[in-house]
Amino acid sequence: MQCYTELLPPTAVTHSISLPFLSSSANNLVVAKTNLLQIFALKSVINTVSELSYPDPAYSVETSKPTTATARSERQHETKLVLLAHHELSGTITSLARVKLLQSISGGEALLVALRDAKLSLIEWDPEKHSISTISIHYYEKEDILSNPWEPELSQCVTQLSVDPSSRCAALKFGARHLAILPFHQTGDELAADDLAMDDYDPDIDGERLTRKQSTSQPTTNGVTSGKTPYAASFVLSLLALDPVLTHPLHISFLYEYREPTFGILYSQVARSTALLPERRDNVYYSVYTLDLEQRASTTLLSLNGLPYDLFTIIPLSRSIGGALLIGGNEIIHVDQSGKTTGVAVNELAKQCTSFALGDQSDLGMRLEHCVIKQLGPENTDLLLILNTGELAVISFKIDGRSVSGLSIRSMGAESGGRCPAGASCASAIGRGRLFIGSEDCNSLVLGWSRGSDRLKRQKSRLEVKLDDHPGGSGVDSEDLEEDEDDLYAATKVDLAAAKQVSSPSDTLDEYRFRMHDALSNLGPLSDVAFRNHNLDNSDSQKSIYNAEILTTSGRGTAGELIYMQQNITVTAVAQYDLTNARGVWSVTTTAAAEGPTGEEDLHNYIIVSNDEKSTAYKMKPGGPEELSGTEFEADAGPTVDVGTISNGTKTVQVLQSDLRIYDGDFGLSQILPLADEDSDAEPPKLIHASFADPYVLLIAEDYSAMVLTEDDSGDIEIIAKGDALKQGKWLSGSLWEDSNDALRIEFPEDSDDETGNVLLLLLSTLGGLQVFRLPNLQKPVYIADGLSFLPPFLSEEFNIRRSSARENLTELLMTELGDSTHKSPYLILRSAFDDLIIYQPYQSPIEGSQDTALRWSKVTNPYLPRSRIEESLDAEQQRRRQPLRVVPNAGGYSTVFMPGSSPCFILKSASSLPHTIELSETSVASLCPFHTPQCQRGFLYINGEMKGKSCAAQLPQQSQFETGWVTRRKSLGKEVYALTYYPEKDVCVLGTSNIISFKLPEDDFHTEWAAETTTFLPQVEQGSIELLDCKTLSKIGSHDIEPHEIIMTIKTLSLEVSEHTHERQSLVCVGTSILRGEDLPSTGHIYIFAVIDVVPDPERPETGTALKLLAKEEVKGAVTALSGVGTQGFLMVAQGQKCMVRGLKEDGSLLPVAFMDMQCYVSVLKELPGTGLCLMGDVVKGVWLTGYMEEPYQLRLFGKSPRHIEVVAADMLPDGKQLYMAVADADCNIHILQFDPDHPKSLSGQRLLHHTTFHTSHYPSTITLVPSTTPSSSPSALITSTTGSLALLTPLPPSAYRTLSALQSHLQTTLTHPLGLNPRGYRMPSQGSPVGEATAMGRGGVVDGMVIRRWMEGGRWRWWSGDAGDEGGGVREVVRRATGRDLFR
């Protein structure tokens, strides 16, 4: 009984597409990340960048903050990505395609999403809900379609989606040889249907023909009834029915410039094989078929044979070029509509692999496997080629009339910015001179390209050529204007004329310049993981909780990185101050009234500190705060409620419990505004809340009354007259907000006398409603939403309140902007009595039948649960007196909000991410305020809640990113990293890295034929190395070279016995390697044992006082694939070749074998349960083995095996109390839960491991590692890393928690909406042919889906899920928090 939760979402971009999605004029980018769908808008910003500065070859993005400009700089436009929507799907995305429907809700185009296991979802943007809307979903996985028993499983076949360029139909190739066709309605479909019906009409038999009337309830658009679906009935065809020769399809794609839906298929009639190249040479075919959607038939238009065997994809080209590109591993071939071919070889191997006629550009030395090709623009005939290594090249065509007579390829040098860190997975043109390059191996980039020549900038577009040349006929040959009636697929007259104007731009290729504009952070592929267990800075003045770091390696090739991950924010302390008994702190920026605001940075020159009895003002000095004296500030006036500034910062307003005090720039008292009624002797209610927005001040008292003050013409503060709605209402909280961009579009009331200003007043009533006033008019609200406390997914004025619904106990409301320097968005933040944070985003919804829009609010996903809820001893009044949410306008470049209390946290958002709530590592923070001084720039000042009076000036951690909801720091290494281990005694980590080198046959007396090798296109192999990295400075401090062609397989830090006599043990670094010399030679390996020792450091680099010392080196037969400690005597277990062997380190440096087990296959996973001798071994052939190690006598004994075949990729033991479970991940992205229970009758005395359940994840796993438990009573969890950048947690659950979460999961699955109409239950089931597990088959003992559980707060208040009615869900909250990994390292 476990719970699976993704701590970090996938970050590797698998697919992308650009289309007008939100509206017909929008330019949006849709990005797919395995099971995540994101929609971006493009924003143009102006940045100051260095002149002639082109990106580093690695395009590394280590921080989201803008870089500082150099002395020689210029202002340039850059395109940034702004996230609009974020949807987690219950499915794995395999392809994206745009479809232009006859009509859509938004007016934009629709998106067709293909998913694993032959599913299609057609979605569009719904402006009324500000979210995606599912039009239809199509399943093609029925048994009657896939009925052949000898065909491979559906999950083992590649799913390909292609859409006709004219949006007439879509084709989904699934299974081995099946093709699903989904037609879309076109203009005139109903007229064509009437014509067909007329052809069958006989007046003598059928009588008088009735006139068909258009239904008044179904308006028509473009001749199609709007009430009908935009698609027709889909059908499935067998490729063998289209053509019996389509036995081995390789790729399918629709082509441009055909009057009927026409697609090309790349296929072979026999299986391709490099080993059988002499017998199966040039056995690939390319055929073009046109579809008849009505008759469901096809016609062959073109067929080419004798193509190179290594062709793998088709790139359709738009009408500016025409035809299609066929891409192979060694060549590129262009095929036009008539079947004319033009090809070019890109390396020397093309001549050896094919007899096809190709142009020679073998000097390029390119490898085209996994390359991505994208046209640079709709009017540009050049194509951008992105190789798997990240190198860029441009493909140019020589066009004569309407045909391509030649093509050439030119590599882009580093001086032109022509290199990405690693290969690309997709590419999309997102505008003029802009290209998005998605990658699974490095950060995804927004790349801008330009040409420097003025001639090219003045080149006319195709439309200008048409308008200028066609009417006069001066630039068009008269023969080209005659329409060729015999050619059914001929281009138009104007297209022919425009083609004449196109010439080869090969002479301007060197003018291409590439520059990075923006990047999407990618943490994948994660390859290895370690835990850096360290305590934070625990001193007398600062107490922090335990907060471990996760060290992981990421990236491929030159994009290799070391990543530090923390679940909480560890602030960078700048200074500490002793402020006696402080409970609240405010920073003030004041300017003299005569001077006004200055052009300098707004430094905070004063702070005001308050305790329960008095307030104290301090002036900031270089040495720290100095208590203010000689001013009219009165410390004994009482505790401060809030502090703000008005009148452009020239006046400071101090809100006390009974009055207001206004000070000038030098803290001279200018006005005291008492709140007591002069005509009454009653004591006025105390003020408990305030909000500021120049020139207004909002005050809320403990009797739930509210008032707004402003500055009059004389400069004094006065109260604005209130209307009946404000007088009679009772208000819990409120917020003043200046809508400078008119985002809410709230108009002034009709009877308003003053319509200047854009300050809004938002109030939260005691009944849970929202009312908005537009200042200075307080007569009546301009917007009312009474259903706010019900927390609906979409809030509007028309929200219907249901009596059965439960209200959330809201205590605070705040309206502010969140974001970074690139983009900020307004958000409404609500705080509940349990410190839950609910976030709403405003948007404009169209009004039916009107051009106006209505203000609505969409709830933003925020799965955060506070660390601990409010003590039950606090009554309602004490909860209202809590420190309010604090706005920090600029904290390290972020506009953020901080929540003080026992669960201190920041709400952080970047332009390309959702708002994330990240906890602070402090246990409690009493108060926090912005703090910007020369010593602490763009930081904050906070008071520790447990140590009263101890304050700290701090900043957000430098060079860190927060886009994923975790704090990540990245160190670029410039090489791929395979293995990682952490050495805690010296706070260093040891990395196993790899470089790519060329392999040349060595000189050998026994192989004289090797000397005849003359090729310059050499194969590439990996060369490993061992590097030592200091964790504090992130700098390389040592390395150890290994033999040629030797690569690192595994690295572990183990406590080994170093002396046979004293039995002394020492932490040593153990390394397993493999020497790969080709498939015809046996592999060998080495075992290295290193000690980390102290050496004399470099005076300029103190961190270099640590080095690696080689203690032992043992050569073994076979590769050393896994290492682990074993037993209690400090021995080492090694997986070498097809054996697992226990070895002991002798004093002479040798490794003595003491026990072994013959595995008969290579072991990929080797884990030991510390201190027990139980070992888990896994391989990709047989499954998992549970073995036991005995010390007297030394032997390895097999306990049990998995009952069926599992292709093991990663595994680890998962103890839960007295039960021993095993989590095993296979290559199909499934997690299998096995159990060793010798008492169970089905286990055959333990020889057969019980297979409990199988759980699908969508992410290819790389490691499974037990997380160190912080308490002895708790069961350890398993951390799962993946190649998609996702980080997941598998948490054992006690029976009571499992029953609660299972019931909650079932309820949420049926009540919450699921994007794309997908089934979350079916998504977690394994694919066809995979074992589901015995417990799952019996309906018990499965894995709880934490991704559904974490949506617990989306549906409002779930009080009925509490075990006790008076508990208000507190017990469930703690279970959900632990199960979803919020307390991972506590």
Side-chain angles (χ1 to χ4, degrees), residues 724-742:
D724 294 337
L726 192 59
K727 287 181 181 179
Q728 299 173 2
K730 293 185 177 181
W731 313 107
L732 286 173
S733 179
S735 177
L736 291 175
W737 181 62
E738 183 178 3
D739 190 4
S740 56
N741 297 322
D742 197 21

Side-chain angles (χ1 to χ4, degrees), residues 6 67 141 189 996 1027:
E6 292 179 13
T67 57
E141 52 183 355
D189 282 354
I996 301 297
E1027 297 186 2

Side-chain angles (χ1 to χ4, degrees), residues 221 587 642 1291:
T221 302
S587 56
D642 208 341
T1291 306

